[in-house]
């Protein structure tokens, strides 16, 4: 979804799932090799790649697989520098979805349509929106999807039961979602959501037309002073005025405590959050949660991971780099294991008919939620990323904060955001 969500998620995961070591970790595959293939990754992606070492050794016993791991922000900063200077380029780089669009515009990534890659032959096997996210303005396909994050509504069934609310009241429309939140708050004391910014994040990204990104279109026209943003601000403001959010940020200590203590009735996030709730955030709430599609039929992605090859990386190893990417993304066994072990929802459609998708999810009270996420993922459309997206996100976030504090009207806030972004887009 947004950079803010993704960075906080990766930073938090890095703190609980891997050692907090500075610099990078080198994982050698073989002591004696004739050639080395270097993979640059960040937390969790490095573990998924490490798990593939035996399969890689069987395919290429004479090629060492060397995995370089940096924390999320450090990794993407290092890749930005490497692409601009051509110094320290890995053979393969893992990228969070928001960075694929930014890097594509710089022309530093290989067009995987070209020989020896031929990514277009694999397009029918990939979730459509994930493939489309890697298409640059000129038509180049600059990265291969590995995993995706279909958006979902998670709700506490026990809290809804106490409030006399049924799930369809949360999902029929965003107005119904807020109205159900009022009843939940009045009858149980639980907040509907951690922060109304999460509502805004979904509604500004929902219902995009062809050629539209969240903040800019393909001609860099600013899109924030539009009915789509007005609606997002209106729903968020209404929920805040009714006292329905706890005013805490995702991945903060207060956010985690809200789940553990039953003070948050719902959460809007990616399907991967179920695994994080189960493993780290609130394992004691197992069996109390259920999943549903987002309110009002909204369909948005929450992140995802890609593999890319730098245009100026070592030419002699590009074929090997492509073989590694195919192993990680086109091998159904590898994709399924990454899903089972790391909650990396597969971008490969071949996997999505596996019986695992129909199995009950114990954390969700036995609900077969993976089928729901699979079907929603196939209906999501790609969100083109503009080079100023990060700045635009910060501007819109700030303007909504001013609206929520009563410092500006919605129309004034959006007009001010539009003016600032128009100046920035011309740079």
């Amino acid at each position: 979804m947004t950079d803010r969500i993704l960075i906080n998620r990766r930073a938090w995961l890095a703190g609980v799932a891997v050692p907090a070591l500075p610099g990078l970790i080198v994982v050698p595959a073989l002591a004696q090799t004739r050639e080395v293939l270097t993979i640059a990754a960040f937390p969790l992606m490095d573990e998924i790649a490490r798990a593939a070492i035996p399969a890689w050794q069987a395919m290429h016993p004479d090629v060492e697989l060397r995995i370089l791991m940096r924390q999320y922000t450090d990794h993407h900063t290092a890749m930005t520098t490497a692409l601009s200077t051509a110094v320290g380029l890995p053979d393969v780089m893992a990228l969070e979805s928001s960075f694929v669009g930014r890097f594509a515009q710089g022309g530093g990534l290989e067009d995987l349509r070209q020989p020896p890659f031929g990514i277009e032959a694999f397009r029918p096997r990939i979730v459509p929106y994930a493939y489309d996210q890697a298409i640059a303005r000129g038509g180049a396909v600059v990265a291969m999807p590995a995993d995706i994050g279909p958006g979902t509504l998670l709700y506490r069934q026990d809290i809804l039961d106490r409030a006399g609310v049924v799930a369809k009241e949360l999902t029929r429309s965003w107005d119904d979602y807020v109205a159900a939140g009022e009843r939940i708050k009045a009858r149980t004391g639980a907040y509907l959501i951690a922060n109304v910014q999460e509502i805004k994040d979904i509604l500004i990204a929902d219902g995009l037309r062809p050629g539209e990104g969240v903040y800019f279109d393909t001609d860099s026209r600013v899109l924030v002073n539009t009915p789509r943003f007005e609606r997002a601000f209106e729903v968020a403001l209404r929920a805040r005025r009714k006292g329905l959010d706890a005013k805490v940020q995702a991945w903060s200590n207060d956010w985690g405590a809200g789940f553990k203590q039953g003070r948050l009735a719902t959460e809007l996030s990616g399907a991967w959050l179920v695994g994080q709730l189960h493993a780290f955030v609130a394992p004691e709430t197992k069996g109390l949660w259920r999943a549903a599609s987002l309110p009002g039929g909204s369909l948005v992605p929450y992140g995802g991971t890609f593999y890319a090859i730098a245009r100026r990386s070592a030419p002699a190893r590009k074929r090997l780099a492509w073989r590694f990417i195919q192993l990680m993304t086109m091998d159904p066994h590898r994709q399924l294991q990454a899903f089972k072990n790391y909650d990396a929802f597969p971008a490969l459609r071949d996997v999505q008919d596996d019986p695992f998708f129909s199995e009950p999810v114990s954390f969700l009270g036995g609900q077969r939620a993976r089928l729901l996420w699979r079907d929603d993922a196939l209906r999501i459309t790609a969100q083109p990323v503009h080079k100023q997206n990060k700045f635009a996100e910060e501007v819109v976030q700030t303007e909504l904060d001013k609206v929520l504090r009563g410092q500006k009207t919605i129309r004034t806030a959006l007009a001010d955001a539009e003016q600032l972004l128009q100046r920035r887009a011309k740079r």
Side-chain angles (χ1 to χ4, degrees), residues 54-239:
W56 176 261
Q57 289 179 344
M59 294 167 57
H60 299 283
D62 57 341
V63 181
E64 176 184 345
L65 197 62
R66 184 171 296 168
I67 302 167
L68 310 179
M69 192 282 283
R70 295 179 177 88
Q71 303 301 331
Y72 176 89
T73 301
D74 293 339
H75 167 78
H76 287 95
T77 299
M79 296 303 97
T80 301
T81 302
L83 286 171
S84 63
T85 64
V87 175
L89 283 170
D91 296 303
V92 177
M93 59 177 69
L95 298 174
E96 192 76 59
S97 59
S98 60
F99 286 89
V100 171
R102 297 186 214 174
F103 290 176
Q105 295 180 56
L109 301 178
E110 280 282 6
D111 181 358
L112 299 179
R113 298 176 303 170
Q114 306 304 320
F117 313 115
I119 193 174
E120 289 175 311
F122 300 103
R123 185 171 190 171
R125 299 174 60 191
I126 301 169
V127 171
Y129 90 83
Y131 186 95
D132 292 347
Q133 278 187 310
I135 301 176
R137 289 184 187 176
V141 183
V142 298
M144 174 70 94
D147 61 72
I148 59 176
T152 191
L153 166 69
L154 301 178
Y155 61 91
R156 282 280 296 264
Q157 185 64 63
D158 58 327
I159 295 177
L160 264 62
D161 289 344
R162 285 161 45 204
V165 170
V166 295
K168 66 180 180 181
E169 295 179 76
L170 294 172
T171 59
R172 271 192 307 239
S173 70
W174 285 96
D175 292 336
D176 285 338
Y177 177 69
V178 172
E182 290 184 78
R183 291 166 58 194
I184 290 170
K185 182 73 180 299
R187 297 177 183 181
T188 71
Y191 294 103
L192 176 64
I193 195 169
N195 198 298
V196 295
Q197 293 280 4
E198 297 175 29
I199 296 174
K200 178 267 295 178
D201 287 340
I202 292 176
L203 285 175
I204 64 173
D206 185 40
L208 300 182
R209 299 172 183 173
E212 285 185 342
V214 175
Y215 305 101
F216 304 91
D217 67 13
T218 52
D219 296 319
S220 292
R221 283 190 289 262
V222 180
L223 303 175
V224 301
N225 196 6
T226 59
R228 173 160 52 92
F229 278 78
E230 288 179 18
R231 171 68 170 161
F233 275 43
E234 286 169 358
V235 176
L237 178 60
R238 191 187 328 147

Side-chain angles (χ1 to χ4, degrees), residues 106-419:
L109 301 178
E110 280 282 6
D111 181 358
L112 299 179
R113 298 176 303 170
Q114 306 304 320
F117 313 115
I119 193 174
E120 289 175 311
F122 300 103
R123 185 171 190 171
R125 299 174 60 191
I126 301 169
V127 171
Y129 90 83
Y131 186 95
D132 292 347
Q133 278 187 310
I135 301 176
R137 289 184 187 176
V141 183
V142 298
M144 174 70 94
D147 61 72
I148 59 176
T152 191
L153 166 69
L154 301 178
Y155 61 91
R156 282 280 296 264
Q157 185 64 63
D158 58 327
I159 295 177
L160 264 62
D161 289 344
R162 285 161 45 204
V165 170
V166 295
K168 66 180 180 181
E169 295 179 76
L170 294 172
T171 59
R172 271 192 307 239
S173 70
W174 285 96
D175 292 336
D176 285 338
Y177 177 69
V178 172
E182 290 184 78
R183 291 166 58 194
I184 290 170
K185 182 73 180 299
R187 297 177 183 181
T188 71
Y191 294 103
L192 176 64
I193 195 169
N195 198 298
V196 295
Q197 293 280 4
E198 297 175 29
I199 296 174
K200 178 267 295 178
D201 287 340
I202 292 176
L203 285 175
I204 64 173
D206 185 40
L208 300 182
R209 299 172 183 173
E212 285 185 342
V214 175
Y215 305 101
F216 304 91
D217 67 13
T218 52
D219 296 319
S220 292
R221 283 190 289 262
V222 180
L223 303 175
V224 301
N225 196 6
T226 59
R228 173 160 52 92
F229 278 78
E230 288 179 18
R231 171 68 170 161
F233 275 43
E234 286 169 358
V235 176
L237 178 60
R238 191 187 328 147
R240 171 61 60 85
R241 284 177 170 171
K242 294 180 180 298
L244 302 185
D245 72 324
K247 303 180 184 178
V248 299
Q249 294 298 323
W251 307 107
S252 66
N253 290 335
D254 288 339
W255 178 81
F259 291 129
K260 293 176 182 177
Q261 298 165 9
R263 291 188 283 109
L264 298 174
T266 76
E267 178 68 352
L268 306 168
S269 189
W272 42 258
L273 182 60
V274 171
Q276 308 313 319
L277 288 170
H278 190 187
F280 307 113
V281 181
E284 57 272 39
T285 62
K286 177 180 178 179
L288 301 178
W289 292 91
R290 302 291 185 273
S293 296
L294 293 170
S298 294
L299 293 164
V300 298
Y302 275 75
T305 312
F306 293 73
Y307 289 106
I309 300 172
R311 187 168 49 82
R312 293 192 284 177
S313 64
R317 292 193 295 275
K318 288 187 187 291
R319 286 183 183 273
L320 282 172
W322 180 237
R323 287 171 188 164
F324 172 81
I325 291 174
Q326 287 178 273
L327 172 65
M328 302 306 295
T329 61
M330 291 291 109
D331 181 338
H333 174 74
R334 189 67 36 212
Q335 283 265 296
L336 188 61
Q337 289 304 114
F339 189 26
K340 289 181 177 180
N341 296 335
Y342 301 100
D343 298 297
F345 200 98
L348 182 64
R349 296 183 66 176
D350 300 5
V351 183
Q352 296 182 358
D353 290 327
D354 188 273
F356 180 69
F357 277 74
S358 300
E359 291 181 8
V361 180
S362 60
F363 191 79
L364 299 176
Q367 182 184 4
R368 291 174 169 81
R370 299 183 189 104
L371 297 174
L372 167 72
W373 300 328
R374 179 194 67 186
D375 294 344
D376 281 352
L378 294 176
R379 296 160 54 215
I380 294 173
T381 56
Q383 299 176 358
V385 178
H386 191 274
K387 63 182 179 180
Q388 297 291 353
N389 259 32
K390 178 60 179 174
F391 177 71
E393 179 188 321
E394 293 171 353
V395 169
V396 170
Q397 185 90 355
T398 299
E399 292 300 327
L400 178 57
D401 283 338
K402 292 177 181 178
V403 170
L404 295 175
R405 292 196 296 265
Q407 297 172 341
K408 288 186 179 182
T409 65
I410 291 175
R411 289 189 176 181
T412 299
L414 293 177
D416 289 349
E418 178 183 43
Q419 187 176 38

